[in-house]
Amino acid sequence: EVQLVESGGGLVQPGGSLRLSCAGSGLTFSRYDMSWVRQAPGKELEWVSTIFYNGVTVYAESVQNRFTISRDDAKNTLYLQLTHVKTEDTAMYYCAKREGYPYQYKYRGQGTQVTVSS
């Protein structure tokens, strides 16, 4: 059974930083393309970033140069470092396995809430 558990969210001021974590079981992250996605209240799910099985990373334009995705293969844990956060980054953040095309984001956990507010 695949289980992804996100953590690390919280309240952060604009311009601040936060690191999100996603611990996985039943799925070896280094074998797949893993992503972070987010969903703000009343809005659709939004792709944030992907780290491919080979370590290549890509980002949505809205977070480029502010967020960093990484992976610890020994711990089978995915990370998302948020810096220079903006109020529009407020959302529930999920990690997921990206599959197919159009992309599907599978095995999302319960998510971790990020709230950017002064």
Side-chain angles (χ1 to χ4, degrees), residues 1-58:
E1 179 186 4
V2 175
Q3 187 173 21
L4 304 181
V5 179
E6 301 93 343
S7 62
L11 176 64
V12 58
Q13 292 186 342
S17 300
L18 208 59
R19 189 177 81 155
L20 309 183
S21 300
C22 170
S25 59
L27 182 72
T28 302
F29 289 174
S30 61
R31 295 181 180 178
Y32 302 101
D33 302 339
M34 297 299 297
S35 297
W36 285 96
V37 295
R38 66 187 181 185
Q39 189 164 27
K43 294 190 176 182
E44 294 186 352
L45 193 69
E46 178 189 15
W47 169 72
V48 175
S49 181
T50 296
I51 181 166
F52 293 95
Y53 69 96
N54 59 5
V56 173
T57 59
V58 290

Side-chain angles (χ1 to χ4, degrees), residues 76-91:
N76 204 42
T77 299
L78 190 70
Y79 300 100
L80 186 69
Q81 178 71 48
L82 286 64
T83 63
H84 304 290
V85 295
K86 304 175 181 179
T87 55
E88 51 263 44
D89 294 322
T90 295

